[in-house]
C-alpha cells in the first residue's frame, strides 16, 4: 500500500551523535522497509562534523553496528541510503549556517521534489534546544506557506520547573504548541500504550480500578547497567531527572488518569495533566519519610563486575548524584484517595525490567485463615510487565485439592508474543511515524512536563541542600534496604523483587 504521508524532509540536528546512530537512523529505516515513508522523502543530517553525504551514509548505515535489521536486503539498504544527505554547520544557530541549511533544503526540493514540509529533530545537547528554533525562525523555516514545520525536542526538557517553563516559552515563540513534539521514548513503547487499552477497552477493570478495591500500586524500572561512558551527562542529571520526572511519571499517568472522553491527543493529554496536578506534593519536610535515594558502590551485576559509580569516567570523586530512587506518594482525587503509590528506579540492579503491580485489597473477612499460610500466600495482583517478557499476569487464590480449605496463589498470564507474530515496533519507530503523520498523542505536552517538574522539584531541592541521606548499595543488589521502610505501617507486602519471569511471585520485601 502506498504511504499516505505528506512528502517531507526530516532534518536531524546532532546527526553525528550517538542517538542518531543508535536509534534514529535505524528507526527511519524500519519505516522505509515497512513502506511507511512517502516516495518523496529525505533525511538531512546536520552537525558540525565535516561529513560528505557519502561519509554520513557510511557512518550511520554501512559502518553502523546498530544498523541491522533481520532479513534486510542489500538493495533495500542501498535504496534507503540514497535518501540520506548531510549538511555541515560551523555552529548550530549561526545565521550563515541556517541560511546554508535553508538553501540545501531548497535544493533538495528542486532536485528530488521532496517539498517544503519539515521535521526538525533536536538531537543535540539541551543547551541548543531554544537557540536552534530561534535560528530556524529567523530563516523563516518555522513557517512555510502551504507547508508544515514540526519540531521534535529530545529529553531532558528543562532541569527543573522554572527552566522547563522558560524553555517552553522560548520555543513556543517560534513554534506553536501543536507543532512541538517533546519526545519521551517510554510513550512509544507498545506496552505503555497497552495500559490505556487494558483499562479502557475492557469493562471489568474499571469498577475495580479505584480506592475501594486497590490497596497499592507499585512501578519499578530496574536496569542492570551502570552509567558506563555517560558519567558526564548522568552526574548532572541523576535517576530522578533521568527516569522519574519523565518516563515513570508518564507510565503512572497511564495507570492512574481518569478515562479520557476520546482516544485523541487533547483528551488524553488533558487527563494526564489533571493527574499530575492531583499528585500530593512531597514537601521538603516529607522527603525523608517518602523518598529514598541511593548510589551504587562496586559489585557484581549480570553484566559483570561493575566499578563504583564514583569511579566511573566523568563522575566526580565525591559525587552525591543518585543512581537509585524509591518513593511513596498519594494522589489527591476521588479515585485514588488514600491509596499509596510506590515508584522506584535504579542502575546496577539485579534485572533489567519495568513493571507495574496493582495489588487489590483482601476480602473483608479471612474465613480461610485457619488453614495454614493463607494470609501469606493469597495476593490478588495484576502484574503488568512493560519490558522485557512483555505481558500481564493476574494472581489470585485457589483451593489446593484435598481436605480443608488450603488456598494457594495461581496466575493467569498473557504474553505479548502470543498476540502477534510481528516484532513489536521500536519506540522511536512508532514515535517518528506519529510525528510524520502530525499525531501528537504519544508526545508530552508543555503544561504536563511543567507539572511533572513541579512534583519532583521539592525533592531535588531537599537533596541539593543535603537534608536527607544518600545511601549506598552494592551494584547487583535491589538498592538500599531503607527503601523497604517506605512500606511500613501496613501498606502492603513491599516491593516485588522478581527473579526473571513475569509470573515469578516469590520475592517480596515483607514489612
Ligand atoms: N543517546 C541516547 O541514548 C539518548 C539521548 N538523548 C538526548 O538526545 C540528545 C542527543 O544525544 P546523543 O546523540 O547521545 O548526544 P551526543 O553527545 O552524541 O551529541 C550529539 C551531537 O551534538 C553535537 N555536540 C556535542 N556536544 C556539543 C556541544 N557542546 N556543543 C555543540 N554541539 C555539540 C555533536 O555533533 P557535532 O560535534 O558534529 O556538532 C554530537 O555528535 C541529548 O540531548 C540527549 O540528552 C535522550 C535519550 C537517550
Ligand atoms: O532515557 C533513558 O532511558 C534509558 C532506559 O530506557 P529503556 O527503554 O532501556 O528502559 C536509561 O538507561 C537512560 O539512562 C535514560 O536516559
Amino acid at each position: 500500500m502506498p504511504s499516505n504521508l505528506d512528502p517531507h524532509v526530516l532534518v536531524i540536528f546532532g546527526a553525528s551523535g550517538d542517538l542518531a546512530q543508535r536509534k534514529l537512523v535505524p528507526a527511519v529505516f524500519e519505516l522505509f522497509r515497512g513502506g511507511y515513508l512517502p516516495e518523496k522523502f529525505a533525511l538531512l543530517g546536520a552537525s558540525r562534523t565535516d561529513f560528505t553525504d557519502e561519509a554520513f551514509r557510511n557512518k550511520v548505515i554501512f559502518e553502523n553496528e546498530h544498523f541491522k535489521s533481520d532479513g534486510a536486503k542489500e538493495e533495500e539498504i542501498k535504496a534507503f541510503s540514497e535518501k540520506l544527505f548531510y549538511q555541515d554547520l560551523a555552529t548550530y544557530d549561526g545565521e550563515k549556517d541556517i541560511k546554508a541549511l535553508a538553501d540545501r533544503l531548497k535544493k533538495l526540493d528542486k532536485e528530488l521534489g521532496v517539498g517544503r514540509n519539515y521535521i526538525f529533530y533536536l538531537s543535540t545537547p539541551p543547551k541548543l534546544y531554544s537557540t536552534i528554533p530561534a535560528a530556524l525562525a529567523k530563516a523563516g523555516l518555522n513557517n512555510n506557506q502551504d507547508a508544515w514545520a514540526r519540531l521534535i525536542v529530545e529529553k531532558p526538557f528543562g532541569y527543573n520547573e522554572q527552566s522547563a517553563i522558560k524553555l517552553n516559552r522560548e520555543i513556543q515563540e517560534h513554534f506553536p504548541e501543536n507543532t512541538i513534539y517533546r519526545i519521551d521514548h517510554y510513550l512509544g513503547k507498545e506496552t505503555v500504550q497497552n495500559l490505556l487499552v487494558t483499562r479502557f477497552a475492557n469493562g471489568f477493570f474499571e469498577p475495580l480500578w479505584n480506592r475501594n478495591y486497590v490497596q497499592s500500586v507499585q512501578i519499578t524500572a530496574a536496569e542492570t547497567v551502570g552509567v558506563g561512558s555517560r558519567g558526564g551527562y548522568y552526574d548532572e542529571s541523576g535517576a530522578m531527572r533521568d527516569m522519574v520526572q519523565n518516563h515513570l511519571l508518564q507510565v503512572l499517568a497511564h495507570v492512574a488518569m481518569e478515562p479520557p472522553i476520546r482516544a485523541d491527543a487533547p483528551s488524553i493529554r488533558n487527563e494526564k495533566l489533571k493527574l499530575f496536578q492531583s499528585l500530593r506534593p512531597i514537601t521538603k519536610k516529607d522527603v525523608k519519610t517518602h523518598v529514598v535515594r541511593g548510589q551504587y558502590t562496586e559489585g557484581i551485576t549480570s553484566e559483570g563486575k561493575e566499578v563504583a559509580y564514583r569511579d566511573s569516567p566523568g563522575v566526580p570523586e565525591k559525587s552525591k548524584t543518585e543512581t537509585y530512587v524509591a518513593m511513596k506518594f498519594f494522589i489527591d482525587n476521588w479515585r485514588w484517595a488514600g491509596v499509596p503509590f510506590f515508584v522506584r528506579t535504579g542502575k546496577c540492579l539485579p534485572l533489567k525490567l519495568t513493571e507495574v503491580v496493582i495489588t487489590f485489597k483482601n476480602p473483608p473477612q479471612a474465613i480461610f485463615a485457619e488453614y495454614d499460610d493463607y494470609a501469606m500466600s493469597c495476593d490478588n495482583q495484576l502484574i503488568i510487565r512493560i519490558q522485557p517478557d512483555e505481558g500481564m499476569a493476574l494472581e489470585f487464590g485457589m483451593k489446593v485439592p484435598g481436605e480443608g480449605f488450603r488456598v494457594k496463589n495461581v496466575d493467569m498470564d498473557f504474553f505479548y508474543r502470543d498476540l502477534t507474530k510481528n516484532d513489536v515496533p521500536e519506540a522511536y519507530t512508532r514515535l517518528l511515524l506519529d510525528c510524520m503523520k502530525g499525531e501528537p498523542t504519544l508526545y508530552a505536552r508543555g503544561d504536563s512536563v511543567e507539572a511533572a517538574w513541579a512534583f519532583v522539584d521539592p525533592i531535588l531541592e531537599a537533596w541539593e541542600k543535603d537534608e536527607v541521606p544518600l545511601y549506598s548499595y552494592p551494584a547487583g543488589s535491589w538498592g538500599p534496604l531503607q527503601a523497604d521502610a517506605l512500606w511500613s505501617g501496613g501498606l502492603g507486602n513491599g516491593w516485588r523483587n522478581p527473579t526473571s519471569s513475569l509470573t515469578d511471585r516469590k520475592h517480596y520485601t515483607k514489612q
Side-chain angles (χ1 to χ4, degrees):
M1 219 171 53
S3 159
N4 53 10
L5 296 181
D6 295 337
H8 66 276
V9 183
L10 169 63
V11 180
I12 301 181
F13 289 101
S16 60
D18 172 73
L19 185 67
Q21 189 166 351
R22 256 184 343 105
K23 297 285 183 187
L24 305 182
V25 174
V28 180
F29 178 61
E30 286 309 314
L31 295 175
F32 174 76
R33 275 187 82 198
Y36 293 103
L37 294 184
E39 179 66 32
K40 306 284 184 197
F41 167 84
L43 186 163
L44 179 63
S47 48
R48 299 169 307 176
T49 304
D50 185 16
F51 286 137
T52 57
D53 290 344
E54 202 191 343
F56 178 59
R57 291 169 186 174
N58 283 339
K59 164 141 173 119
V60 296
I61 302 180
F62 300 112
E63 295 161 7
N64 182 0
E65 61 168 298
H66 303 283
F67 193 90
K68 41 184 182 251
S69 184
D70 292 340
K73 297 189 194 88
E74 227 170 89
E75 322 75 269
E76 252 176 344
I77 296 176
K78 185 165 178 301
F80 174 66
S81 74
E82 285 161 10
K83 299 200 171 279
L84 266 61
F85 303 89
Y86 186 78
Q87 176 67 37
D88 60 342
L89 308 167
T91 66
Y92 281 90
D93 45 9
E95 217 170 305
K96 255 189 170 161
D97 289 304
I98 300 296
K99 165 85 173 52
L101 184 88
D103 290 346
R104 187 73 193 273
L105 287 167
K106 267 190 207 148
K107 196 163 164 237
L108 284 175
D109 182 28
K110 211 164 158 203
E111 288 170 1
L112 306 171
V114 289
R116 301 286 176 95
N117 297 317
Y118 305 129
I119 296 176
F120 298 107
Y121 197 122
L122 305 185
S123 179
T124 61
K127 64 177 180 188
L128 296 167
Y129 289 173
S130 66
T131 60
I132 295 176
L136 290 171
K138 234 178 178 176
L141 288 171
N142 59 339
N143 190 11
N144 287 322
Q145 258 185 355
D146 305 323
W148 48 256
R150 298 174 189 147
L151 185 74
I152 302 184
V153 189
E154 257 303 336
K155 67 168 273 227
F157 196 92
Y159 190 71
N160 52 25
E161 187 190 8
Q162 277 317 309
S163 58
I165 292 173
K166 183 165 175 280
L167 183 57
N168 270 331
R169 286 206 190 116
E170 287 166 352
I171 297 180
Q172 285 160 350
E173 244 180 66
H174 309 295
F175 284 81
E177 176 60 31
N178 66 357
T179 64
I180 304 171
Y181 291 71
R182 295 172 195 79
I183 204 159
D184 183 315
H185 79 275
Y186 265 58
L187 291 176
K189 290 183 192 282
E190 277 291 327
T191 42
V192 173
Q193 294 157 39
N194 193 43
L195 284 166
L196 298 184
V197 176
T198 303
R199 290 188 57 198
F200 304 128
N202 297 297
F204 66 92
F205 284 120
E206 175 57 19
L208 303 178
W209 212 263
N210 56 54
R211 64 186 296 273
N212 297 322
Y213 299 97
V214 174
Q215 187 195 13
S216 70
V217 177
Q218 60 175 291
I219 302 175
T220 293
E223 294 189 82
T224 49
V225 292
V227 284
S229 57
R230 295 174 73 213
Y233 152 77
Y234 194 86
D235 202 65
E236 293 288 305
S237 169
M240 185 67 98
R241 290 189 170 94
D242 190 48
M243 291 292 291
V244 178
Q245 183 275 339
N246 35 60
H247 307 323
L248 293 188
L249 289 185
Q250 288 294 337
V251 173
L252 170 77
H254 282 216
V255 172
M257 72 188 194
E258 291 303 307
I261 52 172
R262 274 183 291 279
D264 60 15
S267 314
I268 291 176
R269 290 162 140 208
N270 286 345
E271 294 307 334
K272 281 197 204 175
L273 175 64
K274 253 171 63 191
L275 192 273
F276 293 144
Q277 290 168 334
S278 320
L279 294 174
R280 184 185 302 169
I282 298 181
T283 58
K284 281 191 202 162
K285 154 177 95 42
D286 293 335
V287 172
K288 221 180 218 160
T289 48
H290 286 60
V291 190
V292 170
R293 59 173 171 160
Q295 189 187 77
Y296 65 83
T297 52
E298 77 172 355
I300 309 282
T301 70
S302 58
E303 314 270 327
K305 191 166 182 320
E306 185 71 41
V307 296
Y309 173 70
R310 288 180 186 180
D311 295 332
S312 307
V315 175
E317 219 178 299
K318 292 192 176 152
S319 167
K320 295 214 89 177
T321 298
E322 79 289 355
T323 59
Y324 173 97
V325 184
M327 56 202 287
K328 165 178 70 180
F329 55 87
F330 293 87
I331 297 175
D332 285 335
N333 64 17
W334 276 38
R335 181 182 292 272
W336 297 116
V339 177
F341 282 74
F342 299 87
V343 167
R344 68 177 167 165
T345 183
K347 300 246 182 233
C348 287
L349 300 187
L351 278 183
K352 165 81 180 163
L353 76 87
T354 304
E355 67 178 25
V356 178
V357 180
I358 315 281
T359 302
F360 294 93
K361 288 184 175 169
N362 288 328
Q365 220 189 335
I367 63 171
F368 304 118
E370 65 187 273
Y371 296 93
D372 67 37
D373 57 353
Y374 163 78
M376 278 178 63
S377 67
C378 188
D379 291 317
N380 285 177
Q381 289 189 319
L382 179 65
I383 299 157
I384 304 170
R385 183 61 77 84
I386 304 292
Q387 63 184 18
D389 212 15
E390 290 85 354
M392 275 184 205
L394 184 63
E395 301 199 340
F396 46 93
M398 286 282 110
K399 181 180 176 302
V400 177
E403 60 175 296
F405 286 99
R406 287 186 55 217
V407 180
K408 188 169 188 273
N409 246 31
V410 296
D411 46 64
M412 293 200 298
D413 53 44
F414 151 76
F415 290 92
Y416 239 73
R417 56 179 176 265
D418 298 332
L419 184 66
T420 171
K421 284 200 173 58
N422 299 338
D423 284 342
V424 175
E426 265 278 316
Y428 276 97
T429 310
R430 167 67 198 261
L431 292 172
L432 277 167
L433 179 62
D434 278 8
C435 179
M436 289 171 178
K437 287 179 179 165
E439 167 52 67
T441 309
L442 300 179
Y443 286 84
R445 199 169 66 189
D447 48 8
S448 73
V449 172
E450 291 170 15
W453 276 119
F455 178 59
V456 303
D457 268 2
I459 305 168
L460 292 167
E461 281 162 23
W463 287 351
E464 265 148 40
K465 292 199 175 123
D466 227 357
E467 286 168 1
V468 280
L470 170 72
Y471 299 107
S472 54
Y473 64 98
S477 70
W478 274 105
L481 291 175
Q482 287 82 354
D484 296 349
L486 295 174
W487 291 81
S488 60
L491 295 181
N493 274 353
W495 300 106
R496 190 182 116 90
N497 286 347
T499 50
S500 62
S501 102
L502 166 63
T503 50
D504 170 14
R505 56 188 166 70
K506 296 184 191 72
H507 300 268
Y508 289 92
T509 55
K510 294 261 183 212
Q511 287 308 299

